[in-house]
Each structure stands twice: as C-alpha cells, then as structure tokens.
Amino acid sequence: MTLFGCASNPDSASNLAADAKQSENIIKINDLKQAIDAADKQVTQSIKEELHWFATKDIEEANKALVEAKEYYAEFEFDPSKANSSSGFFSSINNIDAANESINTFNEYMTKATTLKSSVLSALSETFDYRTQLNYIDAQQYFPSTVQELESDLKKLVDQVANDKTAAAIAAQPSLVAKQRALEIKTVTAIYLSDAKSALDKLIKADTAKDAPKSISHASASLTAATAFIAADPRAIDEIQNKAKEVIFSINRAEQIALAVKKLKAIQPADYEDHLISYEKILLSISNTLGAEDRRDLAFDEQGKALVTFIEESLKDLEVSIQTQQQLRKELKDQKSYVALLEEKISTLNANLADVKQSLADSLAEKVAKTKQAAAEQGNKTADVETKSSALKETADTAAAE
C-alpha cells in the first residue's frame, strides 16, 4: 500500500519527468492543430486564386496530404496519449510525426503550385491579359461556348508549362491571342452596337431604303465605321460609346426621313399648300420664340438662313455680354482682393501702433517708478541729515548748559 501510494501521488518528484513529457506532447499537438488550420486557410485562398486550374496535380497531391494529416490527428485529437502510438501495424513512425510529415508534404506541394502559377503568368502574360479583359467585359454572357473553348485551349498551354514544355506553350500563344482578341472585338461590338444593328436591319427589311436611300446609306456607313473602330481599338470604351450614339442618331434620322417621304407621297395635290404652310408655321414659331423678324415673305431656305443669321448675331451679342460680365467679375474680384490687402495692412499698422503705445506706456511707467524711487532715496538722505543735525544741536545745548 505504501509503494502504491507513492507511485500514484501527483505531488511526487518521480512524476516530473512524465509531466514534462506530457507537456511536450501537448505543445506538439497544439502546433499541429495550428498548422492544420493554416493549411485549411491556404486551401480556401487557393480556390480564390484558381491554383487548382494552374497546377492541378500539385493541388491534388497537397489536398491528399492534408487529408492524411487530419486522419492522423483524429487518432489522438481527444486522447493525447495516442499521439506517440504507431501510425500503423508495419510503421515505425508515430501518429503525430506522421501528421507533421503530411503537413510538410502539403506545404511543399502548395509552394510548388504557387511557383508554377507565377511561371505560367510570366510565360503566357499576353494571353492572360486577354483572359482578364474577356472576364471584365463578361464575354461569357454573350458567347459562352466560345469562351469555354478558349479556356480549354489556354488550359492546354498551362499544362504544357507544368510539364516543362514552356517553349512549346509560348510558341502556341499567338494563335490563342488572335482568337481571344477576335472574341473581345465580337463581344464589345455586341454590347455597344447590337441594338443599332437590329434597328437598321428592321428598317432595311421594311424596305425603307426606297423612300430614303441616301439616309439609310449614311446610317449603314455610320454603323460600318463604328464597327471598324471597335476592331481597331476595342478598349477605347468612351469613344466607342460616342460612336454608338452617332449610329443610333443616324438610324433614327433615316427612319424619320423615310416616314416624311411616305407622308409626302400620300398627299394629294390639293393638300400641297396646307402641307407647306405647316412647315411655315414651324419656322414662324421658332422666329417668334427667338424674337426674330417674321420673314415668311421669303422662300423656305431663305427663311432658314435668316434664322441662322439672327441666331449667330444673338450669340455674338451674348458672347460679348458674357465677356463683359466676366471682366466685371474679374475687376470686382481684383477690387475685393485690393480691399482685403488694405484691410490686412491697416490691421498690421493697428497692431504695430498698439505695440508702440504699449512700449511708450511701459517706458513712462518705468520712468515714473525711477523718479519716485529717486525721490524716496533723496527723502531718506534728507531725513538722515536732519536727524544728525538735531543730534548735534542737542549735544551742543547739553554742553552749554553744563
């Protein structure tokens, strides 16, 4: 009983070695758990970075190693004493060491995958630039099958780099880049000109060209020019948007002209005058709104020229007025600046004057204080003289009396 009691006593020096060993195991287990958690985070990040797509074999091996590490860890997760147990019937390594080896293997493959991705991006930089651009303009939405085909082609090049056939991948890159650029042009054209193309096709199918052939031809040429511009520079989005607006404008204009021609063809000779008067009313309304002279006594084209002349002269007057206002504003601004400068100088002078007054006041006070001090000192001297004189007189009187 005595021996048993000593052996089981937790407060015994004989247990310190075992306690130290247990603490060491706990530290190792904790370090392993943190390593597994870190590995899980790497896996999540690798998915975001498409590492599996770039380095398929390496990522598969890394994931396999991580699974093994977790299996070994599960053996002693709830019973730390099993950390040092053999990892298998024919294994000479224990569970925790086997788990750590698997984690190391995981890290090695993840490093290889990251390095491989960097090599791929460097070797195939141009094709990946186009891949990024195609994702940015969402080519997948417009041409999903084509995007998938190009992804497959790119994957082949990536695998070539992974298999140490970088030179072959680089040699095949221009062909893929040409396809990617063509898809970019096709996508941008679909985004910005598909509506215009549909509108023009609708007018052509409606046989609008017979009523407004010149206008339809102009609209078609505008669409062709915009399409050519996209083919030359598909990333000049601002300019492409402007050209797309111009195409829509041309198409809408052609449609309105065609409608006007149809209406004109349908007018009976007796209604010609009323038709012309309707246009005359429009010109008169513009003249009245602008305050221009009524020039219905002129031909329609002359009325239009008169309106243009009036507007140009009005704009000139307006420009002169604007320039005058700007000049007045400038002069007012300069005047305000001058006033502000004067106020600043006056403020500075006032401050200096206050300093001078304060200095004079301090000097005067000091002088008065010195005068008073001198007078006090003189009074003290006079009092001393009078005291001495009185004392001498008193002495003399005493001597005379004796």
Side-chain angles (χ1 to χ4, degrees):
M1 290 293 293
T2 301
L3 291 173
F4 180 81
C6 292
S8 62
N9 184 7
D11 191 19
S12 173
S14 62
N15 292 327
L16 293 179
D19 292 341
K21 185 67 174 178
Q22 184 178 7
S23 296
E24 183 180 349
N25 285 340
I26 293 299
I27 292 173
K28 289 182 179 180
I29 292 171
N30 182 62
D31 290 344
L32 175 62
K33 181 61 170 64
Q34 291 184 11
I36 291 175
D37 290 343
D40 284 333
K41 291 181 180 179
Q42 285 189 65
V43 171
T44 300
Q45 185 63 29
S46 71
I47 294 173
K48 295 179 181 179
E49 296 177 358
E50 296 184 291
L51 275 185
H52 187 276
W53 191 80
F54 283 92
T56 305
K57 294 181 180 179
D58 291 331
I59 293 299
E60 287 177 352
E61 291 297 326
N63 289 334
K64 180 180 176 181
L66 181 58
V67 170
E68 291 178 353
K70 291 181 178 180
E71 289 176 351
Y72 287 126
Y73 175 71
E75 292 293 328
F76 54 85
E77 181 178 8
F78 304 110
D79 187 359
S81 65
K82 293 183 179 181
N84 294 316
S85 299
S86 176
S87 59
F89 290 108
F90 302 103
S91 177
S92 61
I93 188 173
N94 59 34
N95 287 322
I96 192 168
D97 288 340
N100 280 317
E101 282 190 6
S102 295
I103 285 295
N104 291 336
T105 301
F106 168 84
N107 289 328
E108 289 174 2
Y109 277 109
M110 289 299 290
T111 300
K112 287 178 63 178
T114 301
T115 302
L116 176 57
K117 178 182 178 181
S118 297
S119 299
V120 169
L121 292 177
S122 176
L124 306 174
S125 59
E126 190 174 5
T127 191
F128 274 99
D129 174 69
Y130 274 102
R131 181 177 186 253
T132 300
Q133 183 65 14
L134 290 173
N135 288 334
Y136 176 73
I137 62 178
D138 198 11
Q140 174 74 28
Q141 177 182 345
Y142 298 91
F143 308 103
S145 297
T146 306
V147 170
Q148 187 58 45
E149 290 176 15
L150 295 185
E151 281 288 286
S152 298
D153 291 343
L154 179 56
K155 176 58 176 170
K156 292 176 182 178
L157 300 188
V158 171
D159 290 342
Q160 283 184 320
V161 176
N163 294 324
D164 297 326
K165 297 179 180 179
T166 304
I170 293 175
Q173 182 176 212
S175 176
L176 177 57
V177 167
K179 294 178 183 178
Q180 289 175 314
R181 177 176 173 78
L183 179 58
E184 179 184 1
I185 292 171
K186 189 175 182 180
T187 303
V188 174
T189 302
I191 292 173
Y192 295 101
L193 296 181
S194 58
D195 291 343
K197 189 176 184 305
S198 297
L200 183 59
D201 289 343
K202 183 179 179 181
L203 290 182
I204 293 174
K205 289 178 181 178
D207 203 16
T208 307
K210 69 178 182 180
D211 295 318
K214 294 180 181 179
S215 299
I216 291 295
S217 177
H218 180 271
S220 179
S222 177
L223 178 60
T224 299
T227 304
F229 182 86
I230 292 176
D233 192 357
R235 300 186 186 183
I237 301 302
D238 290 341
E239 187 65 22
I240 289 172
Q241 289 177 328
N242 291 334
K243 290 187 176 299
K245 291 178 181 178
E246 292 174 3
V247 174
I248 291 295
F249 177 87
S250 297
I251 293 172
N252 290 338
R253 172 179 173 272
E255 182 179 14
Q256 294 304 318
I257 290 177
L259 291 174
V261 170
K262 285 183 179 180
K263 184 177 180 181
L264 187 61
K265 289 180 177 179
I267 295 177
Q268 298 297 321
D271 297 326
Y272 286 170
E273 182 180 5
D274 291 336
H275 180 72
L276 293 175
I277 290 175
S278 67
Y279 283 100
E280 183 185 58
K281 288 180 178 179
I282 294 173
L283 292 173
L284 178 60
S285 177
I286 296 173
S287 298
N288 292 336
T289 302
L290 294 175
E293 185 180 357
D294 182 359
R295 298 314 311 269
R296 285 177 294 172
D297 56 331
L298 301 176
F300 283 121
D301 57 340
E302 292 298 326
Q303 290 183 44
K305 290 178 182 179
L307 277 174
V308 171
T309 301
F310 178 81
I311 293 172
E312 288 176 345
E313 291 177 353
S314 298
L315 288 176
K316 288 180 181 179
D317 293 341
L318 178 61
E319 184 178 357
V320 171
S321 176
I322 292 174
Q323 290 177 350
T324 303
Q325 291 179 23
Q326 290 176 343
Q327 182 62 30
L328 289 173
R329 289 193 186 96
K330 183 178 182 300
E331 292 176 358
L332 180 60
K333 182 179 180 181
D334 293 341
Q335 187 68 22
K336 288 182 178 179
S337 299
Y338 180 69
V339 171
L341 180 62
L342 287 178
E343 290 178 349
E344 182 180 354
K345 289 185 176 181
I346 292 172
S347 177
T348 301
L349 289 174
N350 287 335
N352 292 338
L353 181 60
D355 292 340
V356 171
K357 287 182 178 180
Q358 185 62 44
S359 178
L360 291 173
D362 293 342
S363 297
L364 182 60
E366 183 179 356
K367 185 175 181 180
V368 170
K370 288 181 178 179
T371 301
K372 289 182 178 180
Q373 183 179 359
E377 291 176 353
Q378 185 62 37
N380 291 336
K381 289 181 180 179
T382 302
D384 290 341
V385 170
E386 290 178 352
T387 301
K388 290 180 180 179
S389 297
S390 178
L392 289 173
K393 182 178 180 181
E394 184 178 351
T395 302
D397 291 341
T398 300
E402 291 178 352

